[in-house]
Amino acid sequence: MRVEDLVYFCAPARLVMGAGCRAQLPALLRRLGYRRGLLVTDTFFSGATPWVDELVAGGRAQGVELLVYDGGMPDPTTTLCDAATAAVRERLAGVPVDHVIALGGGSNIDLAKALCLTLPDGSAVRAFLGKIDAGTPILPLVAMPTTAGTGSEATPGAILVDPDNATKVAVMDNRLRPAVALVDPEFTYTCPPRVTADAGIDALTHAIESYLTLDSAIFDRGGEADPGYSGRNALTMLFAHESIRLCGRYLLRSVQDGGDREARIGMSYASVYAALSYGSAGLNAVHGIAYAVAGQTHLSHGTTNAVMLPYVLDALGDVRREEMLAIARLLDIAETDPDIAAARVPGVVRELVAAVGLPTTLRDCGIEQRDVDALVRDALDVARLAKAFPVPDVSARYDAMVRNAWAGTLTAEAGASVQRRRAA
């Protein structure tokens, strides 16, 4: 218990987890009173897997009709959402749906969340950027993730790309958290190694960032009575702690051997636990800088998180020493000296990033040294994440983290090496 906590914890209304649990969904849909829904997915899942047909047939057997929209795309845009809204409403011909199901990675789930807002009256999704009116009708969502990483099945927002300026925008409301999050690890068994690595590092980033983020007692909730994010507390930290442990044990294994069922199941659980943590606690500098890196490089979300995670950890050693030591033990860092063990965390995380085949410096991502200043400015412009970074000098540390990430410099690791030499 932390007596200073101001707990505001939100999670999916129902969480169903376990290998093969997707078979339970049709009966659950009927039990919840749903009779006509929209299944949002993409052509891979509709054409190359049996899962869509199985779900449609299973729903029909339970008296639940499902309309399939398989136009999902990576990094969905506001334009795609509006086109999907028009296409689905035309096919429905005035007959409403009472729920939306998402099958796929974070992109499909984000698109489905947006459609939960736009389908009832056909509004453009841009109408819901910023605060969403309490009277706005929102369809209930069932989220079925097929990757172990994004955690969208437990969060209150959808991230879309605005093609007018190539930036990411968010629609956010706690009512967008899924009514049912169904996590079947079998969906992930055929994920290719690079997707597995991207998603897995994303899960680890979510867990670590939320474990180290600003405390709930001082988090700026902006006067919201129903905040989407509200800082870390003892409950979110419990979930993050378990997620870090599972990632340490299973992330590399799942990348190296996609047929390792134990590792696949372990990472599915790690992803959900990370989402239950960051879905209420929120995130900070890793994601804030990663968004700016993606703006310059157009690399995947997992990759841009991966390259920054070690250097953000490197910058937090003086303000999160106790937690860094806990992370060290979760990652099996056996140094007996606690200061050395904590200082080794950024280097060990960077070794993991390299082992799963992701870049470890901004130079490796194609960032030029002349672009570093702009990158820092763009990252600081993501103000909601910058102000959640638990340090007294946010701008200076952002500048140092980005420069270190470009050069590949880990100051904590260098200090730990000096301490080990002195001890010897």
Side-chain angles (χ1 to χ4, degrees):
M1 181 181 75
R2 293 162 22 122
V3 296
E4 72 275 17
D5 279 343
L6 299 174
V7 176
Y8 198 89
F9 184 76
C10 295
R14 288 167 180 80
L15 176 58
V16 183
M17 293 171 44
C21 69
R22 64 187 181 278
Q24 303 174 33
L25 183 59
L28 179 57
L29 295 175
R30 180 174 179 83
R31 176 68 179 82
L32 294 174
Y34 300 148
R35 295 296 179 267
R36 184 175 175 84
L38 173 70
L39 173 57
V40 178
T41 188
D42 58 51
T43 54
F44 173 79
F45 294 112
S46 63
T49 78
W51 301 328
V52 171
D53 289 342
E54 287 175 357
L55 183 55
V56 170
R60 186 172 297 118
Q62 293 287 337
V64 181
E65 291 297 321
L66 295 176
L67 175 70
V68 176
Y69 174 81
D70 63 359
M73 300 288 288
D75 297 319
T77 64
T78 55
T79 303
L80 172 63
C81 181
D82 291 343
T85 301
V88 170
R89 284 175 60 87
E90 182 177 1
R91 289 173 62 189
L92 290 172
V95 179
V97 293
D98 54 20
H99 68 289
V100 176
I101 300 173
L103 174 67
S107 291
N108 285 355
I109 297 175
D110 281 349
L111 177 60
K113 284 180 179 178
L115 290 171
C116 288
L117 281 164
T118 61
L119 282 177
D121 64 7
S123 297
V125 73
R126 282 188 178 87
F128 303 106
L129 302 181
K131 189 173 181 179
I132 298 172
D133 186 83
T136 299
I138 300 178
L139 292 168
L141 176 67
V142 176
M144 297 195 295
T146 58
T147 60
T150 70
S152 297
E153 68 277 6
T155 61
I159 304 298
L160 305 171
V161 175
D162 184 346
D164 288 347
N165 52 24
T167 59
K168 291 187 175 182
V169 295
V171 291
M172 191 83 63
D173 193 285
N174 277 325
R175 292 172 294 163
L176 286 174
R177 296 181 193 267
V180 178
L182 188 145
V183 180
D184 187 338
E186 290 183 0
F187 285 140
T188 71
Y189 287 1
T190 57
C191 248
R194 182 56 183 255
V195 175
T196 301
D198 255 40
I201 289 291
D202 200 18
L204 179 61
T205 302
H206 292 152
I208 289 178
E209 263 194 295
S210 60
Y211 191 63
L212 302 177
T213 199
L214 204 63
D215 289 322
S216 62
I218 56 175
F219 192 93
D220 182 5
R221 306 184 186 194
E224 288 287 342
D226 187 26
Y229 301 109
S230 53
R232 70 173 188 171
N233 57 63
L235 183 57
T236 65
M237 291 176 74
L238 281 173
F239 284 115
H241 188 277
E242 178 64 2
S243 178
I244 295 167
R245 184 185 73 84
L246 291 171
C247 287
R249 178 172 296 182
Y250 294 120
L251 200 165
L252 183 57
R253 278 175 54 178
S254 68
V255 174
Q256 291 178 333
D257 180 5
D260 185 337
R261 294 181 69 253
E262 180 182 347
R264 290 292 197 182
I265 293 170
M267 282 308 299
S268 289
Y269 277 66
S271 176
V272 172
Y273 294 148
L276 290 172
S277 179
Y278 94 87
S280 287
L283 301 167
N284 50 71
V286 180
H287 274 69
I289 300 172
Y291 289 150
V293 175
Q296 288 195 18
T297 66
H298 306 292
L299 293 171
S300 67
H301 181 60
T303 296
T304 54
N305 277 336
V307 75
M308 287 309 308
L309 179 58
Y311 304 97
V312 174
L313 283 167
D314 192 41
L316 287 173
D318 61 330
V319 294
R320 289 290 187 258
R321 180 190 177 281
E322 181 180 341
E323 293 87 344
M324 293 289 279
L325 179 58
I327 294 171
R329 301 314 183 203
L330 291 170
L331 298 179
D332 292 329
I333 297 173
E335 296 280 359
T336 56
D337 185 309
D339 290 329
I340 295 176
R344 284 200 59 212
V345 168
V348 168
V349 170
R350 186 167 68 177
E351 290 168 5
L352 177 59
V353 169
V356 299
L358 298 179
T360 59
T361 71
L362 290 175
R363 282 181 296 176
D364 294 339
C365 294
I367 299 289
E368 300 288 345
Q369 190 169 19
R370 64 175 179 272
D371 296 323
V372 166
D373 288 341
L375 186 59
V376 174
R377 288 195 302 271
D378 291 346
L380 287 167
D381 282 345
V382 190
R384 65 182 176 86
L385 296 179
K387 71 180 182 180
F389 197 43
V391 298
D393 48 352
V394 173
S395 296
R397 295 222 189 184
Y398 263 53
D399 186 78
M401 289 185 298
V402 171
R403 294 183 189 283
N404 285 344
W406 190 85
T409 302
L410 288 176
T411 56
E413 185 180 53
S417 297
V418 170
Q419 285 183 282
R420 284 198 296 271
R421 287 197 297 271
R422 287 175 178 170

